[in-house]
Amino acid sequence: MASGKPASGEDSLIARYFRPLATDPGAFRLDDDAAALKPSGDDVVVTTDAIVEGVHFLPDDPPETVARKALRVNLSDLAAKGATPAGFVLALALRSADEAWLEPFATALGEDAALFGCPLVGGDTVSTPGPLMVSVTAFGRVPPGKMVHRSGAKPGERVMVTGTIGDAALGLAILRGGKVHAAASDTAAREMLVGRYRVPQPRVAMAEIVREYASASMDVSDGLAGDLTKLCGVSGVSAVVDLEQVPLSGAAQGLVSRGIVGLETLIASGDDYEILCTIPEDRVQAFEAAVQRAGVALSSIGTIVAGNSVPKFVDKEGKEIALERLSYSHF
Amino acid sequence: MASGKPASGEDSLIARYFRPLATDPGAFRLDDDAAALKPSGDDVVVTTDAIVEGVHFLPDDPPETVARKALRVNLSDLAAKGATPAGFVLALALRSADEAWLEPFATALGEDAALFGCPLVGGDTVSTPGPLMVSVTAFGRVPPGKMVHRSGAKPGERVMVTGTIGDAALGLAILRGGKVHAAASDTAAREMLVGRYRVPQPRVAMAEIVREYASASMDVSDGLAGDLTKLCGVSGVSAVVDLEQVPLSGAAQGLVSRGIVGLETLIASGDDYEILCTIPEDRVQAFEAAVQRAGVALSSIGTIVAGNSVPKFVDKEGKEIALERLSYSHF
């Protein structure tokens, strides 16, 4: 106590584990009650996503992947809005100050913060008698008025999506056991699918491209079908999606073709963290070229149409497939 | 489903309860994945504080007071940093979408957002199997570089605090039963103390004054003694506090003088949400006049001194009182 430093466990764990991550000068070494974001002339884009043990991650998920997922689900939102990461704050609710958990959590969080250029600027660490919860609020920057919205899709535009859909849902199914677990016997495929559930790949390389080309954009976090429904609803349009064009990984394709899981389940499951956007037809070619240069996989899955009905999902015979559910909902 | 709107319970509860609060144009009616804060030339001050059922509020606290506390603890931080409120995002973890709880929660949150000029701009609602948790990240604005820090206190400066100390701790003690509950027989006094625990009064009127006069400032949330220790630690100074000058409400004074609770307990308990700041001696008079004009009670409780030891707390005989603990810590 002679040093003038408080003896609080909370402060010492912040100093030990989180101060090294607070590399931005506006974080004031986490020595203060607040952070300061300098004015840059840009709009500050703000997104918040919380992940809860037993809901968004499993109790025995490694602390490293919990940390990465908490940050990356927010980076995914920023990318879909066309925003460049600028920093984040962390509210962490813990049952105990377990160093064996906190040390790898903070190390992985710091690695991702550096990787994505999104430093920790502040936070709050509280105790909870319940499940662990990690709440992140992330900040990005876009030129004034240039945030890309869910609204803005117009009839005739192309519906496009990055990466592959459904892998994370299969990864979760593998971790939970059951028929997908039994069927996915290939170790490499299992690891890929579980990895997609635990550690999303936010499409940060897409931010500028989305800003340049997309009329509407969002990240796919609650299921492709439901998220497209939301985008169409806010835009006041509908869509027709060709189910055959929905991009699947080899592992997912194998499970679908063997009848282990239905494509309609995969497009209604969460945790993809891909970017879903709409592109005016005359800009599709340039958009595709830009996305290719960024090294991101891209698929054209459908077309925006007039109307206000739920998007139609049609199979290779052109027959509409009715979906029992569109997406994951917490309630 | 014909409307093109998703049927998700999560979306409908956001639309019903929280959209009416999203009055800022940058909130995009909560229809989007993110909010946008317009550039104003000011620094954006960011603070985050989470409150957990059973830790920061009691399971049977009314939803209205939970809402107000969640926002106000953050507004208290902004005020102490000299920042004017600009907006907030809310991450809400609920066991169920209980309308009888959500409706009064959202109504009270909206009232406070309007009262303090701090609109809801975004959020995330998730399910949890555990205790309810409300995590708020609030934004304020200060002219560039003008955020008031914990560091900056210098020897010879006056230590000042707004309002009264210890009431919230007594309110919590009353709610928990025991000797304070038995001793606090006056109904009005009990209600005042419980009210101070459940609904903090953030000193938003102090923001500009703190910016104008204070060399260092923070809000008192974990206990006056511990928080002053933190301020001194970061400033590289120490302090001497005259315990007789620590401001107590009449109710608290009565309990102390009857020996029900010790003053040393009150200055080491949390939830005061007053502003603790240091003022250069030659500015004290002008500061006091400005605070009086703002209608906020103010006390001068001590002096900053050189050194790096924990602040000394001395009684009316000038004898140092050793504190067993300085503040509340979560771990």
Side-chain angles (χ1 to χ4, degrees), chain B residues 259-282:
Chain B
I260 308 298
V261 65
L263 183 53
E264 67 282 3
T265 300
L266 296 186
I267 65 168
S269 300
D271 277 331
D272 289 313
Y273 300 105
E274 296 293 351
I275 289 179
L276 174 69
C277 59
T278 56
I279 309 290
E281 195 58 42
D282 61 356

Side-chain angles (χ1 to χ4, degrees), chain A residues 238-261:
Chain A
S238 187
V240 179
V241 171
D242 183 352
L243 276 172
E244 281 285 295
Q245 300 304 319
V246 171
L248 298 184
S249 65
Q253 187 60 64
L255 291 163
V256 169
S257 62
R258 287 160 61 201
I260 309 296
V261 66

Side-chain angles (χ1 to χ4, degrees), chain A residues 1-4 6 8-11 13 28 31-39 41-50 52-53 55-56 77 81 89-91 93-97 123-131 133 135 137 139 145 147-150 217-219 229-230 233-234 308-310 326 329-331, chain B residues 1-4 6 8-11 13 28 31-39 41-50 52-53 55-56 77 81 89-91 93-97 123-131 133 135 137 139 145 147-150 217-219 229-230 233-234 308-310 326 329-331:
Chain A
M1 297 298 293
S3 72
S8 136
E10 186 183 343
D11 289 309
L13 80 82
F28 310 117
D31 262 345
D32 218 310
D33 310 271
L37 303 177
K38 291 279 138 204
D42 289 330
D43 284 358
V44 175
V45 172
V46 183
T47 184
T48 188
D49 266 311
V52 178
E53 181 185 31
V55 181
H56 304 83
D77 277 319
K81 300 292 101 184
V89 297
L90 170 74
L94 300 169
R95 272 185 301 276
S96 66
D124 188 26
T125 308
V126 299
S127 60
T128 176
M133 176 162 163
S135 176
T137 301
F139 311 100
M147 181 177 125
V148 186
H149 294 277
R150 289 184 184 179
S217 172
M218 69 186 295
D219 76 331
T229 304
K230 290 175 196 177
V234 176
N308 64 357
S309 58
V310 167
L326 293 168
S329 174
H330 282 280
F331 301 104
Chain B
M1 298 296 297
S3 71
S8 135
E10 185 183 343
D11 289 309
L13 81 83
F28 310 116
D31 261 345
D32 217 309
D33 309 271
L37 304 176
K38 291 278 140 207
D42 289 329
D43 285 357
V44 174
V45 172
V46 183
T47 183
T48 189
D49 266 312
V52 177
E53 181 184 31
V55 181
H56 304 84
D77 276 319
K81 302 291 103 182
V89 298
L90 170 74
L94 300 169
R95 270 184 302 275
S96 66
D124 188 27
T125 309
V126 298
S127 60
T128 176
M133 176 161 162
S135 176
T137 301
F139 311 100
M147 180 177 126
V148 187
H149 294 278
R150 289 185 184 179
S217 171
M218 68 185 294
D219 77 329
T229 304
K230 290 176 195 177
V234 176
N308 64 356
S309 57
V310 168
L326 293 168
S329 174
H330 281 280
F331 301 104

Side-chain angles (χ1 to χ4, degrees), chain B residues 2-73:
Chain B
S3 71
K5 295 253 169 60
S8 135
E10 185 183 343
D11 289 309
S12 79
L13 81 83
I14 290 169
R16 192 170 339 155
Y17 297 115
F18 296 111
R19 180 164 299 153
L21 281 59
T23 54
D24 190 90
F28 310 116
R29 300 179 68 246
L30 305 185
D31 261 345
D32 217 309
D33 309 271
L37 304 176
K38 291 278 140 207
S40 65
D42 289 329
D43 285 357
V44 174
V45 172
V46 183
T47 183
T48 189
D49 266 312
I51 65 172
V52 177
E53 181 184 31
V55 181
H56 304 84
F57 62 94
L58 299 174
D60 55 357
D61 277 349
E64 293 89 343
T65 70
V66 175
R68 293 186 201 280
K69 187 165 191 173
L71 180 57
R72 289 174 181 218
V73 300

Side-chain angles (χ1 to χ4, degrees), chain A residues 171-190:
Chain A
L172 175 59
I174 288 168
L175 289 171
R176 284 188 171 152
K179 65 178 180 177
V180 176
H181 176 78
S185 52
D186 178 71
T187 307
R190 283 163 89 115

